[in-house]
């Protein structure tokens, strides 16, 4: 018995919330639900409730809370994924998968070999698109937390800014000779994982990551596709640190 | 300096090999290479060589070996991935990703909730298609081993047949209460990982897996997409057993 899940911007003290925009459209026009329908609502910050529709308008649906629901648990590590912006749909895949794996923050970055420029990404509608992808993934995986998606940044600017948690940088096999495995890093309750673009990190970028205190690690000897590396790195981290 | 990689069915004792079919077409018509061109060839069983083209025909390209090349290393565990056949392109993604992660064998299976039937898959051209996807992924990730892709089988028939290595069955969060984490399983040099279809395993299937000696494990509390579960399970296994 799967109850449809909806994102709401907030739930007020009296237990009322409003589905807006796409969410309202999904309720009424896609699922053809009406007053009295029971749904699950989550606020994107960790709260989830069974709720009942009380008003159904064209652009908003009012609901009242019935009872709290336990969402899928968050991992016991707060991960920021600093992801080099990939071409087209590949970045959508990364946002979807990282959300499913429970990351707290997604920081899109532009690196030397990125096949796009900071200004191009910044003036596109990709941030809004990634947020929609993340919300859809939250519904599918059962979380009640929508990861924060930060504005795109240059790698070096991001490395220079304050960060909480150990920075972990997976490195492609050709550059990873002699690197320690990820499991050798001291576990912590916070981590940043930075993943390079399709063409990999430049030697200068790897040096800058080292200078910024990063632990450079190998994820096996096979060359991973850039869009698969986040899933592999997150699974390895959770297993190594026992923080699933 | 990336040298194009080609699959050859075999390399004879005098160091000669022949690119056939799609491989020959890729050499001559796509990359427009000719006699004297240097390429890398692998036999799908672990050998890789730098080679030079000596004859270029319409449907085959003869090469002679120049020197051995070190391919990407195989993981230190021989994994059979028993994968419930997914719809359309999703199974291609799984074959691609599992190959990239270094699995030795892919065993397509049909389970109760699979959205296809054994006979439908068996009489389709999907086996040949999966093999092409695996070869393309081998080229991308740098392995010289093409995983064996077995004929599709019914889950129960497959469970009843002899198997080498511990059977590991990731279970969705709703059914995984109280399960041990994957890291609790005793490491081995062989393992079988069985992944359920989009709708998950039925209770009867889980019972049959237990009877067959499977270790049922959870991969965190979020619901994973079926096509992502193999990557997550393989990364967790390699990390838990230190066999990257």
């Amino acid at each position: 018995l799967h109850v449809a899940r909806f994102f709401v911007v907030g739930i007020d003290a009296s237990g009322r919330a409003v589905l807006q925009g796409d969410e309202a459209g999904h309720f009424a026009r896609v699922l053809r639900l009406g007053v009295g329908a029971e749904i699950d609502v989550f606020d994107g910050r960790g709260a989830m409730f069974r709720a009942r529709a009380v008003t159904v308008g064209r652009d908003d649906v009012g609901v009242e809370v019935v009872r709290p629901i336990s969402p899928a648990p968050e991992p016991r590590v707060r991960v920021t994924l600093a992801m080099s912006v990939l071409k087209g749909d590949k970045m959508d895949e990364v946002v979807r998968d990282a959300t499913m794996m429970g990351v707290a923050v997604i920081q899109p970055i532009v690196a030397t070999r990125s096949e796009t420029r900071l200004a191009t990404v910044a003036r596109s509608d990709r941030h809004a698109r990634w947020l929609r992808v993340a919300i859809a993934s939250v519904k599918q995986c059962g979380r009640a937390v929508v990861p924060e998606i930060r504005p795109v940044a240059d790698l070096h600017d991001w490395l220079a800014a304050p960060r909480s948690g150990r920075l972990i940088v997976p490195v492609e096999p050709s550059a990873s000779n002699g690197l320690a495995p990820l499991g050798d890093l001291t576990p912590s309750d916070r981590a940043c994982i930075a993943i390079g673009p399709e063409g990999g990190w430049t030697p200068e970028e790897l040096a800058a990551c080292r200078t910024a205190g990063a632990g450079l690690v190998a994820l096996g000897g096979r060359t991973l596709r850039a869009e698969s590396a986040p899933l592999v790195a997150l699974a390895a981290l959770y297993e190594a640190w026992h923080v699933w």
Side-chain angles (χ1 to χ4, degrees), chain A:
Chain A
L1 186 73
H2 179 65
V3 175
R5 297 175 183 135
F6 294 86
F7 173 64
V8 292
V9 172
I11 299 164
D12 73 17
S14 63
R16 298 223 166 202
V18 180
L19 317 188
Q20 299 174 312
D22 291 349
E23 300 296 305
H26 193 70
F27 179 95
R29 288 190 292 277
V30 180
L31 298 181
R32 299 182 169 280
L33 297 173
V35 168
E38 290 214 338
I39 61 174
D40 286 347
V41 297
F42 59 93
D43 68 356
R45 298 192 303 269
M48 187 179 283
F49 294 92
R50 180 65 43 87
R52 188 180 295 113
V54 289
T55 61
V56 178
R58 192 183 156 76
D59 295 317
D60 45 43
V61 175
V63 303
E64 61 185 17
V65 157
V66 176
R67 60 186 165 82
I69 295 276
S70 295
E74 297 294 303
R76 294 184 301 282
V77 61
R78 181 179 164 83
V79 176
T80 295
L81 175 67
M83 183 72 207
S84 299
V85 177
L86 304 180
K87 283 190 287 187
D89 290 351
K90 291 184 181 179
M91 191 67 175
D92 293 356
E93 281 181 46
V94 168
V95 170
R96 180 195 66 195
D97 292 348
T99 300
M100 173 188 79
M101 287 295 282
V103 304
V105 178
I106 296 172
Q107 169 65 68
I109 57 176
V110 170
T112 306
R113 293 182 184 153
S114 293
E115 298 182 24
T116 187
R117 286 158 184 278
L118 190 65
T120 308
V121 181
R123 69 168 178 259
S124 73
D125 62 354
R126 297 186 77 180
H127 188 276
R129 177 187 171 99
W130 294 332
L131 191 59
R132 286 196 300 275
V133 170
I135 290 172
S137 184
V138 161
K139 292 177 185 176
Q140 188 163 35
C141 76
R143 293 175 77 183
V145 174
V146 176
E148 179 189 351
I149 302 182
R150 299 240 166 100
V152 61
D154 172 81
L155 173 67
H156 292 285
D157 292 343
W158 180 73
L159 286 175
R163 227 179 1 263
S164 77
R166 183 68 189 271
L167 174 58
I168 301 168
V169 180
V171 174
E172 63 199 297
S174 63
S176 68
N177 244 336
L179 289 183
L182 193 150
D184 280 9
L185 299 176
T186 307
S188 164
D189 62 352
R190 288 169 182 254
C192 295
I193 298 177
I195 304 284
E198 287 92 341
W201 302 111
T202 65
E204 293 70 25
E205 286 170 337
L206 286 177
C209 287
R210 274 189 207 273
T211 301
L216 273 51
V217 301
L219 295 172
R222 277 83 46 204
T223 300
L224 300 181
R225 298 164 70 249
E227 63 269 40
S228 304
L231 265 185
V232 175
L234 288 163
L237 183 79
Y238 294 173
E239 185 63 35
W241 291 4
H242 307 294
V243 289
W244 287 97

mmCIF file of all heavy atoms in Angstrom, chain A residues 16-20 24 27-28 33-37 39 51-64:
data_model
loop_
_atom_site.group_PDB
_atom_site.id
_atom_site.type_symbol
_atom_site.label_atom_id
_atom_site.label_comp_id
_atom_site.label_asym_id
_atom_site.label_seq_id
_atom_site.Cartn_x
_atom_site.Cartn_y
_atom_site.Cartn_z
ATOM 1 N N ARG A 16 -1.469 22.374 9.348
ATOM 2 C CA ARG A 16 -1.947 22.597 7.987
ATOM 3 C C ARG A 16 -0.775 22.890 7.051
ATOM 4 O O ARG A 16 0.212 23.494 7.456
ATOM 5 C CB ARG A 16 -2.912 23.778 7.958
ATOM 6 C CG ARG A 16 -4.154 23.534 8.815
ATOM 7 C CD ARG A 16 -5.390 23.985 8.103
ATOM 8 N NE ARG A 16 -6.581 23.462 8.765
ATOM 9 C CZ ARG A 16 -7.755 23.341 8.159
ATOM 10 N NH1 ARG A 16 -7.887 23.696 6.894
ATOM 11 N NH2 ARG A 16 -8.804 22.865 8.802
ATOM 12 N N ALA A 17 -0.917 22.436 5.827
ATOM 13 C CA ALA A 17 0.125 22.687 4.826
ATOM 14 C C ALA A 17 -0.543 22.834 3.467
ATOM 15 O O ALA A 17 -1.718 22.477 3.299
ATOM 16 C CB ALA A 17 1.140 21.549 4.805
ATOM 17 N N VAL A 18 0.191 23.357 2.510
ATOM 18 C CA VAL A 18 -0.353 23.604 1.175
ATOM 19 C C VAL A 18 0.577 23.029 0.109
ATOM 20 O O VAL A 18 1.777 23.310 0.109
ATOM 21 C CB VAL A 18 -0.544 25.130 0.941
ATOM 22 C CG1 VAL A 18 -1.114 25.372 -0.459
ATOM 23 C CG2 VAL A 18 -1.458 25.722 2.006
ATOM 24 N N LEU A 19 0.007 22.202 -0.771
ATOM 25 C CA LEU A 19 0.764 21.769 -1.952
ATOM 26 C C LEU A 19 0.650 22.870 -2.983
ATOM 27 O O LEU A 19 -0.454 23.328 -3.285
ATOM 28 C CB LEU A 19 0.185 20.496 -2.564
ATOM 29 C CG LEU A 19 -0.259 19.331 -1.696
ATOM 30 C CD1 LEU A 19 -0.608 18.127 -2.590
ATOM 31 C CD2 LEU A 19 0.797 18.943 -0.706
ATOM 32 N N GLN A 20 1.799 23.251 -3.565
ATOM 33 C CA GLN A 20 1.785 24.344 -4.529
ATOM 34 C C GLN A 20 2.413 23.918 -5.841
ATOM 35 O O GLN A 20 3.162 22.947 -5.888
ATOM 36 C CB GLN A 20 2.569 25.540 -3.954
ATOM 37 C CG GLN A 20 1.952 26.074 -2.657
ATOM 38 C CD GLN A 20 2.797 27.155 -2.004
ATOM 39 O OE1 GLN A 20 4.001 26.990 -1.862
ATOM 40 N NE2 GLN A 20 2.152 28.245 -1.607
ATOM 41 N N ALA A 24 0.742 20.527 -6.532
ATOM 42 C CA ALA A 24 -0.716 20.614 -6.637
ATOM 43 C C ALA A 24 -1.189 20.001 -7.960
ATOM 44 O O ALA A 24 -2.197 19.282 -8.012
ATOM 45 C CB ALA A 24 -1.170 22.072 -6.519
ATOM 46 N N PHE A 27 -1.168 16.276 -7.753
ATOM 47 C CA PHE A 27 -2.271 15.772 -6.924
ATOM 48 C C PHE A 27 -3.577 15.708 -7.724
ATOM 49 O O PHE A 27 -4.228 14.661 -7.800
ATOM 50 C CB PHE A 27 -2.443 16.706 -5.714
ATOM 51 C CG PHE A 27 -3.568 16.320 -4.780
ATOM 52 C CD1 PHE A 27 -3.315 15.549 -3.650
ATOM 53 C CD2 PHE A 27 -4.876 16.735 -5.018
ATOM 54 C CE1 PHE A 27 -4.343 15.190 -2.784
ATOM 55 C CE2 PHE A 27 -5.913 16.382 -4.163
ATOM 56 C CZ PHE A 27 -5.648 15.608 -3.050
ATOM 57 N N ALA A 28 -3.910 16.830 -8.334
ATOM 58 C CA ALA A 28 -5.240 16.928 -8.951
ATOM 59 C C ALA A 28 -5.265 16.428 -10.386
ATOM 60 O O ALA A 28 -6.144 15.650 -10.763
ATOM 61 C CB ALA A 28 -5.728 18.381 -8.887
ATOM 62 N N LEU A 33 -6.687 13.083 -7.625
ATOM 63 C CA LEU A 33 -7.160 12.960 -6.237
ATOM 64 C C LEU A 33 -8.018 14.176 -5.904
ATOM 65 O O LEU A 33 -7.967 15.202 -6.578
ATOM 66 C CB LEU A 33 -5.957 12.878 -5.286
ATOM 67 C CG LEU A 33 -5.054 11.646 -5.499
ATOM 68 C CD1 LEU A 33 -3.805 11.736 -4.624
ATOM 69 C CD2 LEU A 33 -5.817 10.357 -5.202
ATOM 70 N N GLY A 34 -8.812 14.067 -4.842
ATOM 71 C CA GLY A 34 -9.703 15.163 -4.466
ATOM 72 C C GLY A 34 -9.763 15.338 -2.953
ATOM 73 O O GLY A 34 -8.957 14.759 -2.209
ATOM 74 N N VAL A 35 -10.731 16.112 -2.485
ATOM 75 C CA VAL A 35 -10.911 16.346 -1.044
ATOM 76 C C VAL A 35 -11.096 15.004 -0.342
ATOM 77 O O VAL A 35 -11.816 14.131 -0.828
ATOM 78 C CB VAL A 35 -12.122 17.269 -0.798
ATOM 79 C CG1 VAL A 35 -12.504 17.297 0.690
ATOM 80 C CG2 VAL A 35 -11.826 18.686 -1.304
ATOM 81 N N GLY A 36 -10.430 14.853 0.799
ATOM 82 C CA GLY A 36 -10.538 13.607 1.563
ATOM 83 C C GLY A 36 -9.447 12.609 1.256
ATOM 84 O O GLY A 36 -9.243 11.659 2.019
ATOM 85 N N ALA A 37 -8.716 12.802 0.141
ATOM 86 C CA ALA A 37 -7.649 11.851 -0.212
ATOM 87 C C ALA A 37 -6.548 11.883 0.836
ATOM 88 O O ALA A 37 -6.197 12.952 1.354
ATOM 89 C CB ALA A 37 -7.077 12.201 -1.585
ATOM 90 N N ILE A 39 -2.652 11.400 1.720
ATOM 91 C CA ILE A 39 -1.330 11.445 1.081
ATOM 92 C C ILE A 39 -0.274 11.577 2.173
ATOM 93 O O ILE A 39 -0.604 11.765 3.347
ATOM 94 C CB ILE A 39 -1.209 12.645 0.119
ATOM 95 C CG1 ILE A 39 -1.402 13.967 0.891
ATOM 96 C CG2 ILE A 39 -2.231 12.529 -1.011
ATOM 97 C CD1 ILE A 39 -1.166 15.211 0.049
ATOM 98 N N ALA A 51 -1.417 12.907 5.729
ATOM 99 C CA ALA A 51 -2.265 14.100 5.720
ATOM 100 C C ALA A 51 -3.500 13.846 4.861
ATOM 101 O O ALA A 51 -3.523 12.912 4.048
ATOM 102 C CB ALA A 51 -1.485 15.304 5.182
ATOM 103 N N ARG A 52 -4.524 14.663 5.059
ATOM 104 C CA ARG A 52 -5.765 14.515 4.313
ATOM 105 C C ARG A 52 -6.062 15.834 3.599
ATOM 106 O O ARG A 52 -5.944 16.914 4.202
ATOM 107 C CB ARG A 52 -6.906 14.156 5.267
ATOM 108 C CG ARG A 52 -8.216 13.784 4.570
ATOM 109 C CD ARG A 52 -9.316 13.444 5.568
ATOM 110 N NE ARG A 52 -9.022 12.247 6.339
ATOM 111 C CZ ARG A 52 -8.774 12.207 7.640
ATOM 112 N NH1 ARG A 52 -8.799 13.319 8.361
ATOM 113 N NH2 ARG A 52 -8.514 11.072 8.259
ATOM 114 N N ALA A 53 -6.460 15.752 2.342
ATOM 115 C CA ALA A 53 -6.770 16.965 1.584
ATOM 116 C C ALA A 53 -8.071 17.569 2.084
ATOM 117 O O ALA A 53 -9.067 16.858 2.242
ATOM 118 C CB ALA A 53 -6.871 16.641 0.089
ATOM 119 N N VAL A 54 -8.061 18.876 2.344
ATOM 120 C CA VAL A 54 -9.275 19.559 2.808
ATOM 121 C C VAL A 54 -9.786 20.603 1.817
ATOM 122 O O VAL A 54 -10.976 20.917 1.811
ATOM 123 C CB VAL A 54 -9.073 20.188 4.212
ATOM 124 C CG1 VAL A 54 -8.991 19.098 5.276
ATOM 125 C CG2 VAL A 54 -7.834 21.063 4.264
ATOM 126 N N THR A 55 -8.896 21.138 0.999
ATOM 127 C CA THR A 55 -9.326 22.053 -0.056
ATOM 128 C C THR A 55 -8.531 21.740 -1.308
ATOM 129 O O THR A 55 -7.329 21.493 -1.243
ATOM 130 C CB THR A 55 -9.061 23.536 0.304
ATOM 131 O OG1 THR A 55 -7.650 23.720 0.487
ATOM 132 C CG2 THR A 55 -9.801 23.952 1.572
ATOM 133 N N VAL A 56 -9.195 21.711 -2.462
ATOM 134 C CA VAL A 56 -8.485 21.434 -3.710
ATOM 135 C C VAL A 56 -8.782 22.561 -4.692
ATOM 136 O O VAL A 56 -9.893 22.671 -5.208
ATOM 137 C CB VAL A 56 -8.910 20.073 -4.314
ATOM 138 C CG1 VAL A 56 -8.194 19.835 -5.644
ATOM 139 C CG2 VAL A 56 -8.606 18.938 -3.334
ATOM 140 N N GLY A 57 -7.781 23.412 -4.871
ATOM 141 C CA GLY A 57 -7.930 24.510 -5.831
ATOM 142 C C GLY A 57 -7.128 24.216 -7.077
ATOM 143 O O GLY A 57 -6.481 23.179 -7.189
ATOM 144 N N ARG A 58 -7.184 25.149 -7.999
ATOM 145 C CA ARG A 58 -6.489 24.955 -9.269
ATOM 146 C C ARG A 58 -4.979 24.917 -9.071
ATOM 147 O O ARG A 58 -4.288 24.097 -9.667
ATOM 148 C CB ARG A 58 -6.871 26.133 -10.179
ATOM 149 C CG ARG A 58 -6.486 25.960 -11.608
ATOM 150 C CD ARG A 58 -6.854 27.218 -12.414
ATOM 151 N NE ARG A 58 -6.018 27.306 -13.580
ATOM 152 C CZ ARG A 58 -6.180 26.557 -14.670
ATOM 153 N NH1 ARG A 58 -7.181 25.712 -14.739
ATOM 154 N NH2 ARG A 58 -5.356 26.669 -15.700
ATOM 155 N N ASP A 59 -4.461 25.788 -8.199
ATOM 156 C CA ASP A 59 -3.005 25.902 -8.050
ATOM 157 C C ASP A 59 -2.501 25.582 -6.656
ATOM 158 O O ASP A 59 -1.315 25.700 -6.388
ATOM 159 C CB ASP A 59 -2.556 27.324 -8.423
ATOM 160 C CG ASP A 59 -2.813 27.594 -9.892
ATOM 161 O OD1 ASP A 59 -2.522 26.698 -10.706
ATOM 162 O OD2 ASP A 59 -3.337 28.677 -10.200
ATOM 163 N N ASP A 60 -3.421 25.255 -5.753
ATOM 164 C CA ASP A 60 -2.940 24.783 -4.459
ATOM 165 C C ASP A 60 -3.949 23.846 -3.821
ATOM 166 O O ASP A 60 -5.141 23.898 -4.079
ATOM 167 C CB ASP A 60 -2.571 25.939 -3.520
ATOM 168 C CG ASP A 60 -3.610 27.032 -3.528
ATOM 169 O OD1 ASP A 60 -4.800 26.722 -3.505
ATOM 170 O OD2 ASP A 60 -3.210 28.214 -3.563
ATOM 171 N N VAL A 61 -3.389 22.941 -3.041
ATOM 172 C CA VAL A 61 -4.187 21.926 -2.359
ATOM 173 C C VAL A 61 -3.875 22.047 -0.874
ATOM 174 O O VAL A 61 -2.721 21.906 -0.465
ATOM 175 C CB VAL A 61 -3.830 20.510 -2.859
ATOM 176 C CG1 VAL A 61 -4.567 19.442 -2.053
ATOM 177 C CG2 VAL A 61 -4.133 20.371 -4.349
ATOM 178 N N GLY A 62 -4.902 22.335 -0.067
ATOM 179 C CA GLY A 62 -4.699 22.433 1.371
ATOM 180 C C GLY A 62 -4.880 21.075 2.027
ATOM 181 O O GLY A 62 -5.799 20.323 1.684
ATOM 182 N N VAL A 63 -3.981 20.738 2.932
ATOM 183 C CA VAL A 63 -4.075 19.453 3.627
ATOM 184 C C VAL A 63 -3.970 19.677 5.125
ATOM 185 O O VAL A 63 -3.441 20.692 5.577
ATOM 186 C CB VAL A 63 -2.963 18.469 3.177
ATOM 187 C CG1 VAL A 63 -3.011 18.249 1.671
ATOM 188 C CG2 VAL A 63 -1.581 18.928 3.617
ATOM 189 N N GLU A 64 -4.516 18.729 5.891
ATOM 190 C CA GLU A 64 -4.260 18.772 7.329
ATOM 191 C C GLU A 64 -3.640 17.454 7.767
ATOM 192 O O GLU A 64 -3.963 16.387 7.254
ATOM 193 C CB GLU A 64 -5.540 19.093 8.116
ATOM 194 C CG GLU A 64 -6.643 18.100 7.956
ATOM 195 C CD GLU A 64 -7.934 18.540 8.664
ATOM 196 O OE1 GLU A 64 -8.062 19.731 8.985
ATOM 197 O OE2 GLU A 64 -8.785 17.667 8.882
#
